[in-house]
Structure formats: structure tokens, C-alpha cells
Amino acid sequence: MRKMSIVGILALLLLVIAMPASAQDEIETYVLGVAQPFTGPLGSFGTDFSKGIELAVEEMNAELEAAGSNVRFEIASADTEGTPDGAARAVQTIVQTTGAQVIVGPLTTSEVLGAKQFVDENDIVIVAPASSGAAAGIPDDNIFRVIYPSDNFAARAFAEIAVSRGYQNVAILHVDDPFGNGLSESFTADFTELGGGEVVSIGYAPDPTDLTSEATSLSAEVSRLMSAGDTAVLCVCFLADAQKLFQVTMIDPVLTSVEWMGIENLANPELLADAGHAELLQNANFISVSFVDTQTPLSQPFVDAFTEKFGAEPGPFTNYAYDAANIAMLSMLVVDNDGAAVSEILPFVSNHYIGTSVQAYLDANGDQAIARYGIYNVSEDATEFTLVGTYDGSSGELSLNE
Amino acid sequence: MPGPLLVDSLVRSLQVGSLYALMALGITLTMSVIRLPNFAHAEYITVGAYTALVVSLAVSSNPVVILGLSALAAALVALICHFAVFRPLEKRNPSTYTMLLASFSVGLILRYILFLLVDRFDLFDRRIAVPLEIWYRSNSIILTNVFFWVVPTTLGLVLALSALLNYTPLGREMRALANNFELARVIGIRVERVKSLTWILVGLLAGVSGALWGIYSSVNPLMGWLAILSVFAAAIMGGMSSFVGTILGAYLVSFSENTVMQLLNYYLGLDFSFKPAVPFIIIILVLLLRPQGFTEFFNRARGLQR
Amino acid sequence: MNIDFFATAIALLTFFGIAALMAISLNLEYGVAGIPNFGQALFVSLGAYTAGITYTRLMPLLAGQEVIFPCGNTLNPALQLRTEIMRTLPGVGLANFAITLVIAAVIGGIVGYGISYLTLRVRQEWYLALVLLVGGEIVRIIVRGYEPIICASNGLSGIAQPFNWLDNAQLASILFALMVVGFAFAAYLYSERLVRSPYGRLLKAVRENERVARSLGKNVARIRAQIMFIGSAMAAVAGVLFALNIGFVSANDYVVTLTLDVWVMIVLGGLGNNKGALVGALLVTVLDRVTAIVAIQLNMLGSEFEFNYLRFILFGVILLLMLRYRPQGILPEPQHTTLAHDMSDAS
């Protein structure tokens, strides 16, 4: 009896493993890997990105079917847990279990670097939608960061805005990680170059439990800078950190008397859901440089399709994942899903791709070279962010309606 | 460092310290009465915070209601963990590390159940719907409604706890258990009943502190886990047995993280990114220089161990 | 599903070897000598940081080149330099690797030795555990913020495994896996000999009853320090291999979770027992991979990410079940009996 049930189970297992292959000998399946942090502090990004990629794959499959192609895409998704080691394992598992040649993800620069050795050795291509740290801007490898441009562009945009608004000094509060540090240093260099005054930079450890001391310090520095000229605050903070920060700055007389600038993460209606924070931002004439340029014909349809499929609007940056997935899939289709070949053809495909934001034109490192930003302000009724200007990274042109 | 800045910093240290005190008291209670270094305490706090979030969004914005329900939810979770995990394990006389690993596992399970629920109900990055208001303003100090909830609640709960321990039969039994476990059993104290009630108490404390912490800052599934080592630092300062030691330890930790860190930054240019190391350094210094904590100083004060 | 069984096996073998090294080290420290080392992550990280430093500062010198600062503006040139050296001068790469192992072992050992003397000061044993745990975190925070070591939070990439100059990637991974397993096996043999020797019996005596051991004139503190030296050296070597396996050194990989994972390995496998440590390491490594594979499959079938959370819940539940129903582990510690007194030639 025991023997039989073991045999039975084995047979069932073999059947399950064999089945998908045999039932689809007409359809050719390309596996698109997705390596994102689903757990850990960045879990909300990972899940939202995955949904965007899912939407992209669904649409692509529908188009392929309508066109009579026998290729379909399938997603193989693994959790990187937000660490470089986890990313290496996730990518390895995806590739070795499903034969995927192209992976969309991971999220952060550290994770990308964690997976780098494996993908370079095994001719796997990584298309990272949101990594922007300088440390991964390496030529001749299999890592392509196709949509989100290097933070240097955003830093430049902020510097230009600061000058345009007449700020003489700026105090930066930034998260102490490659992203925050990079943007802060870039901004300082650019602002000084454009003739700005003093820049003070305060870094806080990632995943803070509490930001009161940093806020107090910021207040002190701003107070000091104010005596020497018009001062503003630049907040290079993640959404949750900003929420903690605002609880403290809301009641600080110095910080509520100056204007604020904030990174893309903060141009998020979620932040305005709290009336107190919304009022704070409005009074601070809050301005954000956001890479969401809603001027392509695909931008709104993406939002609509996402909302219909998942019952909620896409989070910030999710459209990058959507675009990255499309670039990956198109490249795979062009060269029949061979890793080394995809690596060669991807820049070409990218350079001819315009999705929900801007054209994905890659530089020598395989990273996005086009940076066209939308500049956003809090609306009159403090319920959303409205576009008040644009900045073109390649020409350095700022157009601000203030 | 300018005067108003220092005052401001001290006020905020007081506020955060009170929160740490509430959280650390739970750990001290657990350690002295139940003899368990409970890493899952972090998750009881997070449960309290999420209950507060849900209640504030769906039921009412009344702080009393929010705190009450959060306390009850966390107490329930603590009790379930006790009956499901800790009690069956204790019967087999395990080593401290087995219990530590068990508490870590329980914490892991609770944390990811919370992740699951947060993902399912889309509660990421939501704030507890209790608006911040300024209730007192002077030239050098600004005090908010949160301050007036946190500090008196902490004091009130501490006094209530103290009264419970010293003037009620239950309190006597708990102290007996803390002082000498075997003897307590011998003289007929219903150990199991006392333990269950202690867990409820621990849960209530964790729930309230989680809710207040959530109102004060923000809510995410890892908030307890991220704060737990600071909280342990406070409990260790009290030698894991003295209440007053724990409370003062909490204020000391908060003061070091905030005011001292600020001074170091102002005068020595030390980066704030090293802030998380502060409670850790305190733990090491205390454990190496004065491992029994500061219990001896509080011999005359009411505590769990004389 | 299109599983490359061979590649998966090689990958698992590599992760298993590294995990086994860590588990054997912890088993020696706690299982045999009774020292609750909750700072494994610290010693592993020391090995990784050593590798980071030697590969960026020492290797160029060995190749007769100038050292380029690996962070900031010179990041790319420095990276290209070390990648090129490893590809074109494999001898240098291997030599550097060997030197790294030695340095890491020595540093890890010394730090472990030093820390063990701290145990004299600490009153309750589990306080030592907390000191070690917290010490690991302090080092992590410092390394994360202080640039010269591994470029602060940026980390160092291009810390490649010593066989990657081979054109055949699969061969390179096989060789690396075999080498890692070789190290683990050597550690296992060494530990086994240690445990079965009179010294090993002494360790167990110290573990069981410290006062008695001390009364017999044994210098308990020095014995513990010696074991910590050996165990920490092993952990540091594991750290070097860990970093090389990924190819990237970052402070974020050496967190408390790593320490707890190793503890889980030895508790599941069986305390005080080298075979148990191996079994535990294998179990945890395989479980991690298998649950990841199941998660991929379930996701393909349409479940919505929940399994990613369930993985951890499952892990916690398995651990609890083991602690409850089989606390001695899968392979309980064998009782060694020795003749108390040989009566055959009594005088």
C-alpha cells in the first residue's frame, strides 16, 4: 500500500511536470523573469511593479494572438527580499528553474549589483526599470537601466529650479544610501556651479524609526542659513520617511517658514491624504521634479488599463516597470529569446521605443540618457499635484510657469 | 548649541522616551515574570499600530477608542502566542536559546501575516487618521496633542502598573513569581493563571504603545522589528527586572539617540546616519560595565525584584 | 517549467558549502563549547570586507599596477582594472584569493578571541549573546557610513570568484562549488577530530558544568577564547566565499537575519553534532530554494504574491514544530562514552 502510493505520487509529479510542455507544442513560450523585492521595506514597490509588468505581458500576449503569432510570454517571478544576496539568489533561481534569459528588475542599485556577477557570466540580460545609482553605470555588461535616468539629471533640474526661484542657500535632508548621497552630491555641485550659495547636507540612516533629531538639526541649519539669504529645503526622502518627518516639521516655526523641494517619491497623492501634511506642503510652495511626463498617447491608457485590471491606480514609477517589460519583450521577440543576442539588440530596441513616458535612449553604459521631467506643485485645493513646468535634461532647458 | 534648540530636542526626547518606556516595560515584565526574552514583542507593537490604523479609518477617530481597541487586539495576540507556542514549549524545560529562537519564529510568522494582510487590504503607506494639533505654544516650546497623549498615558499606565504590582493580589503573585519561581509554585500560587494574566498585561502595553507610536510617526509592518533593539536597550538598562530602571533606561536611550546625537552632530560633525548605532553602543557599555543594570540604585523604589 | 537540474545542483552545492562552514563554526562555538555566539554575521562580514579591501587595494599591487580608489569618480576605472586583472592574470587572482583567505581567517580569529575575553565581564550568559548581536550591528552601521572600507552604502562590485577567468562559465561555477565544498569538508573533518579528542571532551565538560571544570584547574576563559578563535576564523572564511559567490560586497547582506539563519541550521540539525550542522545547513539551503521555486510556479498559475509571504511563515512554523517536537534536532548529539578506568591492569 505504501509502495503504491509513493509510486502514485511520483507518477502524478511526473505528469504535472510533463504536462505543460506537451499540452502546448504549438505555442512557443518565452519566459520573462521578474525579480523584485516583495518583502522587506520596499515591498510595496515590488508588488506594484509586478502588477505593471503583468499588465504589459497580458497586453503583449493579446496582441501576439491577434496577429497570429505562436509566441506567448509567461512571467516567472521571485522575491529578492531587498538585499543583494537575495537578488542574486532570486535571479539564479528564475534562470535555473525556467530557462529565462531576460529579467525585469531588481529595484535598487545594490540589488542590481548583487545579481551582476551571475548575469554577466551566464549571458542573462537585466532590464532594471528604476535603479539610478552611479555605481551600476558600467559599460559592456548585461545590465540595462532603460527608463529612469541617472539622478544627476534630477539633481540638475532641482539646481535650476532653485536658481530660478531665487534661493540663495539650500539645506538638503537626504537618505544615506547610494541614491540619496548621489543626488545630494550632484545637486551641491550643480547649484554651486550655477552661482548658488551655501548648501548644507544632512543624511539620515535608512528605515528610520524616528526623525526628530534630524529635523531639529535641519531647523537649526536653516535658521542659520536664513540669516545669509533666501533659503529652501530639499527633501530627498522616501514617502514613509517624509511622513515621519512632516509630523515634526509641521510644528517647527523655522521649517514652516521656508519653501520646500522634494523628489519624485513625494509627488504622491498619498502624501496629501493627511490634511495637515497637505497644508504644510501647500504653504511651503512645495515643488517636485517628477519623471512622470504624461504627454505620450500611452500614458493615460496605461493608467486606465491598470486601474481596470487591479482596481486601484498604479503607484509611482510603476509605468517604468511596464515600459521596461515592453522593451524586454520586444527585444526577445526580435532575436528569439537568446540572452547574448538580446544583450546586443536591446539598445537598438530601446532607442526606438516610446512608451508611457519618454523615449528610452541609452548611453554607453546601457543607461537612460534622456531625462525630461515634469515639474509639479500642490494644487489649489491641496488634493493633487499639478504640472507647472518642464525640464529637459539633455538641453538643460527649464520652463517654469510661476 | 542654541538654547531653544536644546529645549526643543529635550521635549522630543521626552516624547520618544515615553514611547520607548511603554514598549520596554512589556519586555521587562515578560523577562522577569515569564523569563522569556521575547523578540515577538516587536510584533505585538506592530499589531497595535495596525489595529489603530484600521480603527481610525473604519470606525472612529476618537483616541480613547483607538487606544482601547489596539490594546485589546495586541493582548489577544499575545495570549494566543502564549497558548499556542510558549506554554507547550515551556513544559519541556527548554534552554533560553530555544525560547529565544521560538520567540523569533513567532515574530517572523506574525510579521509576515501582517504583510499579507497589509498587501491584501492595500494599507501600505497609510497614516492613522488622527490629525496633529498644536495645543501649547510658547517662545521656546511647542507641544502637540500627541505629546499630551503620550506622556500622561505613559505616566498613568506606569502608575497603574505599579499600583497593580504592589497593592493587588495578582501583583503580589507576579512579584513572587519574578523573585523565586520554584518557591512561588511551592507556596501554591496558580502559576499558569498568573502567566496568562501577565501576557494580557504585556499585550495591553504593547498595543497602546504601538498605537501611540503609529499616531506619532507612521505605520508599516516592520516598525516593531526596526525599533526592537532600542527597546531592548532600555529594558537592559533596568537589568530586565526593575521598572524604574527600565523607564529611566528608556528616557536615557531616547535622550542619547536624539539630544546627545544632536550635540555630537553639532559639535563634532558626526553624521546622523550613525544614529542607529547609539542604542547599541549603550547596550554594550551597560552590559560590559554594569551588567546588572541599574537595579541597585532603585532598591528602595518599587520594582519587581528587591 | 524548464529546470536546469545540473545548474541548480551546482548552485545549491555552493550555497550549502558556505552555509555548512558557518554552521560547523557555530556548532563548535555553541554546540560543543557552550558559547552563545549571536554575532555570526559580524565574523562573516569581516571576511567579506577583507575580500573587498584586498581585491581593490592588494590585487592591483600584486599585478604590478597602481591602486585606484574604488569609490566615487574613479569607480569605473577601478572596477575595470580588477576585472581585467582577474581575466588576464588568473595567477594573480588566485594568489590574491589565497592571501585573502588567510588574512580573513586571522582577522576573524583575533576578533573572536578578543571578544571572548569580554565574556568574563558579562554576568548572565545570554547577555553575551546580546553583546555579540549588537556588536555586529554596530560594525555594519559603521561600515555602511564610512567610505574607505567598501564605499559606504554603495558597496563594491567586481569581487569575482577566483575561477571566472575561464571561458566556460559552467566549468567555473563547478570548480568554485567543488572548492567551497572542499573547504566545508575540511572544516568538518577538523571539527570532528577536535570533538573526539581529549580536548573535545574538555570542551564538553566546560559546557556542562563550568564550575567543576574550573575547579579541576582548567583555564576556562582561555579554552573558550581558543574555540572562538577557530570558530570565528571559519566564519570569516565563509564570509569571503559568500562575497565571492555573489560578486558584490555590501553591508546590507550581513544583518541579524544571517545570524539567526545559522542558529536555525544548527538547532534544526542537532546541537553539539557536526553531522547535524551539515544536515541543518543542507535543510535550510534546500528549503530556501525549493520554496522559491514553488513560489515561481504558483505565481505562474495565478496566485498573487501571497506565497512570498507564506515562505517566511512556513519557515517560522517549521522551526516552531521542530523546537516543540524534536528540540534535540534531526541528529541528536551522540553520547560519547569512554572507559572511566581500565581495570585490566590495575596495580
Side-chain angles (χ1 to χ4, degrees):
Chain A
M1 191 58 187
R2 234 167 114 216
K3 227 192 205 175
M4 258 187 70
S5 54
I6 292 180
V7 168
I9 292 171
L10 278 174
L12 201 66
L13 239 104
L14 279 170
L15 207 65
V16 166
I17 296 176
M19 214 157 64
S22 60
Q24 303 175 32
D25 23 31
E26 288 176 351
I27 305 271
E28 192 172 351
T29 312
Y30 288 171
V31 178
L32 182 69
V34 173
Q36 294 286 340
F38 297 121
T39 56
L42 297 165
S44 55
F45 280 116
T47 38
D48 223 46
F49 273 36
S50 266
K51 289 181 181 163
I53 299 171
E54 217 181 290
L55 181 64
V57 169
E58 195 180 277
E59 289 180 353
M60 178 67 82
N61 282 341
E63 291 290 332
L64 289 170
E65 189 176 342
S69 160
N70 70 332
V71 173
R72 298 286 182 274
F73 285 94
E74 198 174 36
I75 292 179
S77 125
D79 179 17
T80 63
E81 297 163 33
T83 62
D85 165 54
R89 278 182 288 129
V91 168
Q92 214 184 49
T93 308
I94 293 175
V95 169
Q96 290 171 346
T97 314
T98 62
Q101 298 280 292
V102 180
I103 311 238
V104 179
L107 183 71
T108 62
T109 308
S110 291
E111 290 169 286
V112 167
L113 289 174
K116 180 171 151 65
Q117 176 172 265
F118 178 76
V119 302
D120 281 347
E121 303 257 302
N122 293 283
D123 287 329
I124 306 293
V125 173
I126 276 190
V127 183
S131 149
S132 56
I138 302 165
D140 298 326
D141 61 7
N142 286 350
I143 296 177
F144 299 96
R145 303 187 295 167
V146 296
I147 302 291
Y148 199 92
S150 155
D151 298 315
N152 296 332
F153 291 113
R156 187 96 198 169
F158 278 118
E160 299 264 0
I161 293 173
V163 167
S164 160
R165 277 184 158 192
Y167 301 148
Q168 277 152 313
N169 304 314
V170 174
I172 309 177
L173 181 70
H174 66 94
V175 56
D176 183 37
D177 72 0
F179 163 65
N181 289 329
L183 213 151
S184 175
E185 279 161 18
S186 257
F187 174 84
T188 309
D190 289 334
F191 187 62
T192 315
E193 187 193 314
L194 290 172
E198 190 179 339
V199 178
V200 165
S201 167
I202 299 177
Y204 67 86
D207 300 322
T209 47
D210 172 58
L211 284 171
T212 43
S213 38
E214 286 90 345
T216 312
S217 191
L218 184 69
S219 179
E221 290 293 333
V222 168
S223 195
R224 182 179 65 81
L225 291 174
M226 269 167 83
S227 59
D230 255 348
T231 309
V233 174
L234 170 60
C235 188
V236 183
C237 331
F238 296 119
L239 186 62
D241 303 337
Q243 288 172 332
K244 294 187 176 86
L245 181 70
F246 291 161
Q247 288 292 87
V248 182
T249 60
M250 255 167 83
I251 57 171
D252 185 296
V254 171
L255 293 175
T256 45
S257 70
V258 292
E259 300 200 339
W260 281 62
M261 301 188 285
I263 56 168
E264 187 168 4
N265 298 51
L266 303 178
N268 186 338
E270 198 64 62
L271 203 54
L272 299 175
D274 182 309
H277 294 177
E279 195 186 317
L280 173 77
L281 290 177
Q282 201 170 42
N283 293 341
N285 202 4
F286 181 75
I287 198 158
S288 175
V289 165
S290 174
F291 196 50
V292 179
D293 185 349
T294 56
Q295 293 195 355
T296 79
L298 287 178
S299 316
Q300 196 56 43
F302 163 72
V303 173
D304 295 336
F306 190 97
T307 315
E308 193 186 318
K309 184 171 161 74
F310 296 109
E313 283 208 357
F317 320 133
T318 303
N319 59 315
Y320 305 163
Y322 175 84
D323 284 336
N326 275 314
I327 292 176
M329 287 192 285
L330 290 170
S331 305
M332 287 157 80
L333 286 170
V334 167
V335 292
D336 295 329
N337 196 21
D338 167 65
V342 169
S343 180
E344 293 297 322
I345 204 81
L346 199 133
F348 179 78
V349 173
S350 278
N351 294 350
H352 293 80
Y353 176 84
I354 299 180
T356 61
S357 54
V358 297
Q359 180 179 2
Y361 193 80
L362 306 184
D363 66 13
N365 295 335
D367 299 339
Q368 169 71 292
I370 290 192
R372 199 169 300 129
Y373 293 101
I375 303 178
Y376 292 82
N377 209 330
V378 180
S379 68
E380 283 287 314
D381 57 357
T383 54
E384 55 176 5
F385 287 92
T386 48
L387 189 70
V388 295
T390 55
Y391 174 77
D392 186 339
S394 19
S395 64
E397 217 179 277
L398 176 77
S399 120
L400 195 56
N401 312 333
E402 285 198 316
Chain B
M1 193 157 126
L5 212 64
L6 197 60
V7 171
D8 195 44
S9 179
L10 286 171
V11 166
R12 292 180 188 162
S13 292
L14 191 67
Q15 193 166 329
V16 175
S18 307
L19 288 167
Y20 281 161
L22 274 181
M23 296 188 222
L25 280 176
I27 295 201
T28 305
L29 254 181
T30 317
M31 195 54 210
S32 51
V33 178
I34 306 180
R35 294 174 195 260
L36 168 66
N38 185 13
F39 271 98
H41 194 83
E43 268 56 59
Y44 303 163
I45 294 172
T46 315
V47 165
Y50 269 102
T51 312
L53 178 68
V54 169
V55 166
S56 80
L57 291 176
V59 177
S60 130
S61 262
N62 183 335
V64 175
V65 171
I66 293 178
L67 289 180
L69 287 174
S70 306
L72 288 174
L76 188 66
V77 169
L79 211 59
I80 293 175
C81 291
H82 169 58
F83 283 119
V85 178
F86 296 132
R87 197 165 79 152
L89 264 181
E90 276 164 2
K91 289 202 176 123
R92 288 144 190 279
N93 214 5
S95 74
T96 320
Y97 307 110
T98 307
M99 294 306 279
L100 205 132
L101 281 177
S103 80
F104 159 70
S105 313
V106 169
L108 192 73
I109 294 173
L110 285 174
R111 206 175 325 136
Y112 283 95
I113 291 180
L114 276 172
F115 249 115
L116 229 150
L117 292 171
V118 166
D119 187 42
R120 172 60 65 90
F121 295 109
D122 195 29
L123 294 171
F124 277 118
D125 294 328
R126 305 274 226 112
R127 292 219 60 246
I128 299 183
V130 173
L132 195 70
E133 294 154 7
I134 297 181
W135 279 6
Y136 174 82
R137 187 197 293 267
S138 85
N139 269 342
S140 44
I141 305 183
I142 293 181
L143 300 174
T144 62
N145 54 348
V146 175
F147 182 86
F148 282 106
W149 290 333
V150 168
V151 178
T153 310
T154 307
L155 285 172
L157 280 175
V158 167
L159 287 172
L161 199 59
S162 206
L164 181 93
L165 281 175
N166 289 301
Y167 300 116
T168 66
L170 173 64
R172 271 199 292 280
E173 291 177 329
M174 282 168 67
R175 275 187 291 130
L177 228 66
N179 270 319
N180 192 328
F181 194 73
E182 277 71 25
L183 196 60
R185 192 179 259 140
V186 162
I187 62 178
I189 291 182
R190 291 157 298 173
V191 170
E192 282 313 312
R193 182 173 161 275
V194 174
K195 275 193 179 170
S196 307
L197 288 169
T198 308
W199 275 116
I200 293 180
L201 213 58
V202 167
L204 290 174
L205 280 171
V208 170
S209 61
L212 286 171
W213 183 263
I215 294 176
Y216 167 68
S217 83
S218 70
V219 188
N220 75 77
L222 293 171
M223 61 191 279
W225 176 247
L226 290 174
I228 196 70
L229 281 170
S230 295
V231 174
F232 258 97
I236 285 172
M237 297 223 42
M240 295 298 233
S241 58
S242 152
F243 261 21
V244 185
T246 303
I247 295 168
L248 285 170
Y251 285 112
L252 193 68
V253 171
S254 163
F255 177 75
S256 317
E257 274 182 351
N258 289 303
T259 311
V260 171
M261 187 68 216
Q262 214 150 332
L263 290 169
L264 287 173
N265 174 266
Y266 194 84
Y267 289 115
L268 297 177
L270 190 67
D271 243 0
F272 277 110
S273 44
F274 294 109
K275 188 166 89 164
V278 168
F280 301 163
I281 295 178
I282 294 179
I283 294 182
I284 290 199
L285 287 175
V286 171
L287 288 179
L288 293 182
L289 298 176
R290 200 178 173 80
Q292 65 273 37
F294 293 92
T295 29
E296 277 165 24
F297 290 150
F298 310 118
N299 256 337
R300 271 195 268 135
R302 301 277 153 71
L304 285 162
Q305 261 181 350
R306 304 276 159 182
Chain C
M1 221 155 74
N2 182 7
I3 302 186
D4 184 344
F5 285 107
F6 190 66
T8 309
I10 298 292
L12 276 178
L13 205 62
T14 317
F15 279 107
F16 163 66
I18 297 171
L21 257 177
M22 294 196 269
I24 291 174
S25 131
L26 183 62
N27 181 56
L28 204 59
E29 289 164 351
Y30 179 65
V32 178
I35 307 167
N37 184 358
F38 269 85
Q40 273 290 10
L42 169 62
F43 300 110
V44 172
S45 72
L46 286 177
Y49 300 151
T50 307
I53 295 179
T54 54
Y55 275 73
T56 53
R57 315 294 207 276
L58 180 62
M59 194 166 70
L61 289 176
L62 289 178
Q65 307 268 6
E66 257 184 54
V67 176
I68 306 178
F69 188 61
C71 319
N73 291 334
T74 50
L75 192 146
N76 266 328
L79 177 63
Q80 262 155 6
L81 178 63
R82 55 182 178 269
T83 316
E84 222 182 275
I85 293 178
M86 292 213 66
R87 278 203 190 275
T88 56
L89 299 171
V92 171
L94 284 166
N96 188 57
F97 172 63
I99 296 176
T100 307
L101 286 178
V102 172
I103 299 180
V106 168
I107 292 181
I110 292 179
V111 172
Y113 192 82
I115 285 186
S116 84
Y117 271 106
L118 290 176
T119 76
L120 294 173
R121 302 233 40 158
V122 174
R123 201 212 252 157
Q124 280 188 50
E125 208 184 55
W126 76 272
Y127 277 13
L128 167 69
L130 205 59
V131 166
L132 285 166
L133 191 135
V134 159
E137 283 291 282
I138 292 179
V139 168
R140 184 176 69 90
I141 290 171
I142 293 176
V143 170
R144 191 178 67 186
Y146 183 60
E147 199 184 43
I149 303 180
I150 55 166
C151 298
S153 45
N154 285 311
L156 285 173
S157 63
I159 311 297
Q161 59 119 317
F163 297 108
N164 84 333
W165 45 272
L166 287 168
D167 282 325
N168 186 338
Q170 199 180 54
L171 182 62
S173 63
I174 294 175
L175 286 175
F176 187 62
L178 289 176
M179 187 181 70
V180 167
V181 170
F183 276 114
F185 196 58
Y188 172 73
L189 287 176
Y190 178 76
S191 292
E192 277 290 274
R193 281 200 61 196
L194 199 66
V195 164
R196 293 185 199 288
S197 71
Y199 187 71
R201 285 196 291 279
L202 176 61
L203 290 177
K204 291 199 181 166
V206 165
R207 178 190 76 191
E208 297 300 337
N209 199 328
E210 197 178 304
R211 250 186 257 151
V212 169
R214 223 191 290 257
S215 72
L216 290 174
K218 304 299 172 189
N219 187 342
V220 169
R222 206 180 60 191
I223 291 169
R224 283 194 156 171
Q226 287 165 350
I227 290 299
M228 278 297 281
F229 183 92
I230 298 171
S232 308
M234 259 189 229
V237 167
V240 171
L241 298 171
F242 185 91
L244 293 183
N245 190 25
I246 304 175
F248 178 62
V249 181
S250 155
N252 289 335
D253 277 332
Y254 310 104
V255 287
V256 174
T257 322
L258 179 71
T259 303
L260 291 168
D261 278 347
V262 185
W263 269 89
V264 167
M265 286 177 209
I266 66 169
V267 167
L268 282 184
L271 285 171
N273 177 349
N274 283 314
K275 283 204 195 67
L278 292 179
V279 167
L282 186 68
L283 193 65
V284 170
T285 312
V286 168
L287 247 171
D288 175 76
R289 187 59 65 109
V290 166
T291 51
I293 295 179
V294 171
I296 293 179
Q297 294 306 312
L298 283 181
N299 208 272
M300 278 185 174
L301 295 174
S303 105
E304 270 203 17
F305 317 120
E306 261 117 52
F307 196 76
N308 288 306
Y309 305 127
L310 281 173
R311 266 178 89 194
F312 291 94
I313 298 178
L314 198 68
F315 194 66
V317 168
I318 290 179
L319 188 58
L320 280 179
L321 289 173
M322 278 298 288
L323 288 172
R324 163 91 178 266
Y325 293 111
R326 205 178 164 83
Q328 68 272 38
I330 294 176
L331 293 181
E333 182 175 355
Q335 299 293 339
H336 294 294
T337 49
T338 47
L339 272 179
H341 189 77
D342 191 343
M343 299 290 283
S344 60
D345 47 272
S347 47

